[in-house]
């Protein structure tokens, strides 16, 4: 009985060990060339490379302040991105990051720890062409374009409404003036109305003339 138990334990350990070996062998290698770009007072961009020949479906980033007070984990799958923007950082603060690749059979070992320190808010950003590819700069540009487009739409709508209101007020004034003129004509007394004239230019007179006395002449 004791030999049977020992045999079963050996088989279980052998199967478990082989599974662990297969899983470990299929894990992707750790990311390489991890670097920090486009440092800001409140953000930074992390970039890395992955050795070729491995299927990578995502990444995981461990972010921690150098004083150890805060730690944050960022995990994203179904992506081929090799960079990530770290937001909501504190100015003039030291951080440490590590990157892991996510494969079909698990996560890789963590990369080397990369320390960096954020800038002051008063520091000016270096103006170079590489900033055009920074997701931070692209996000600011998109937000600026959206604000400009919204302002143009608002101005156009306000101008259209002003034109409609002005046209309505104009029509209302015309109708009001016409009604006022009609009321004044109706309110005039009969004495002020013009006396009708004859077509020959004189005043219209009665067609009956006063009777002229008749004279009878008798011949002798």
């Amino acid at each position: 009985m004791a030999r049977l138990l020992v045999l079963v334990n050996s088989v279980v350990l052998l199967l478990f060990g082989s599974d662990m070996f297969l899983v470990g062998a299929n894990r992707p290698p750790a990311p390489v060339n991890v670097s920090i770009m486009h440092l800001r007072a409140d953000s930074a961009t992390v970039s890395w490379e992955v050795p070729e020949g491995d299927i990578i479906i995502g990444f995981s980033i461990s972010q921690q302040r150098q004083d150890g007070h805060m730690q944050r984990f960022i995990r994203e799958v179904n992506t081929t991105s090799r960079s990530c923007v770290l937001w909501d950082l504190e100015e003039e603060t030291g951080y440490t990051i590590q990157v892991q690749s996510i494969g079909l059979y698990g996560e890789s070992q963590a990369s080397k720890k990369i320390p960096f320190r954020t800038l002051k808010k008063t520091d000016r950003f270096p103006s170079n062409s590489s900033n055009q590819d920074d997701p931070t700069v692209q996000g600011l540009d998109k937000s600026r374009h959206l604000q400009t487009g919204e302002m143009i739409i608002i101005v156009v709508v306000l101008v259209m409404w002003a034109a409609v209101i002005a046209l309505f007020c104009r029509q209302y004034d015309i109708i009001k003036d016409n009604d006022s003129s009609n009321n004044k004509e109706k309110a005039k007394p009969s004495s002020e109305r013009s006396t009708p004239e004859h077509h020959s230019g004189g005043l219209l007179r009665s067609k009956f003339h006063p009777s002229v006395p008749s004279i009878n002449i008798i011949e002798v």
Side-chain angles (χ1 to χ4, degrees):
M1 185 67 180
R3 290 180 179 178
L4 181 60
L5 291 176
V6 172
L7 180 61
V8 171
N9 289 334
S10 300
V11 172
V12 170
L13 290 176
L14 181 61
L15 293 175
F16 182 76
S18 61
D19 290 341
M20 292 295 294
F21 175 77
L22 291 175
V23 172
N26 291 326
R27 284 182 178 177
V32 295
N33 298 330
V34 181
S35 60
I36 301 296
M37 303 183 303
H38 312 301
L39 271 174
R40 303 285 188 270
D42 57 353
S43 66
T45 302
V46 186
S47 65
W48 63 90
E49 296 178 1
V50 176
E52 297 181 359
D54 294 287
I55 299 176
I56 305 299
I57 62 173
F59 62 86
S60 177
I61 297 177
S62 173
Q63 169 192 328
Q64 186 175 9
R65 284 176 50 168
Q66 291 181 356
D67 55 12
H69 289 171
M70 184 192 69
Q71 190 170 8
R72 178 185 299 173
F73 294 95
I74 302 173
R75 182 184 176 91
E76 187 172 349
V77 295
N78 297 328
T79 179
T80 58
S81 177
R82 299 293 182 264
S83 65
C84 179
V85 181
L86 307 177
W87 297 97
D88 299 329
L89 304 180
E90 298 182 8
E91 64 173 332
E92 289 190 296
T93 304
Y95 292 90
T96 301
I97 62 163
Q98 286 182 292
V99 184
Q100 292 177 275
S101 296
I102 302 176
L104 297 175
Y105 300 99
E107 297 182 358
S108 69
Q109 295 292 329
S111 65
K112 295 181 180 180
K113 292 184 177 181
I114 305 298
F116 68 94
R117 187 177 183 83
T118 55
L119 305 178
K120 292 182 180 180
K121 290 184 178 180
T122 55
D123 292 343
R124 290 192 171 185
F125 307 141
S127 57
N128 48 44
S129 59
S130 61
N131 286 341
Q132 299 299 328
D133 298 331
D134 185 6
T136 307
V137 178
Q138 292 177 359
L140 293 175
D141 291 340
K142 290 180 180 179
S143 177
R144 193 177 296 113
H145 288 322
L146 287 176
Q147 292 178 359
T148 304
E150 291 174 356
M151 290 299 297
I152 293 175
I153 293 174
I154 292 174
V155 170
V156 171
V157 171
L158 291 177
V159 170
M160 293 178 63
W161 272 107
V164 171
I165 293 173
L167 181 61
F168 175 79
C169 293
R170 177 63 177 171
Q171 294 295 331
Y172 178 77
D173 291 339
I174 293 174
I175 295 173
K176 188 176 180 181
D177 292 341
N178 292 336
D179 291 342
S180 178
S181 299
N182 293 334
N183 292 333
K184 288 181 179 179
E185 286 292 335
K186 292 179 179 179
K188 282 184 179 181
S190 59
S191 60
E192 294 182 2
R193 297 179 183 176
S194 60
T195 304
E197 297 183 354
H198 195 263
H199 64 275
S200 60
L203 294 177
L204 183 63
R205 295 181 177 86
S206 176
K207 62 181 179 179
F208 298 102
H209 297 280
S211 59
V212 179
S214 59
I215 301 175
N216 295 325
I217 299 174
I218 301 175
E219 296 180 355
V220 180

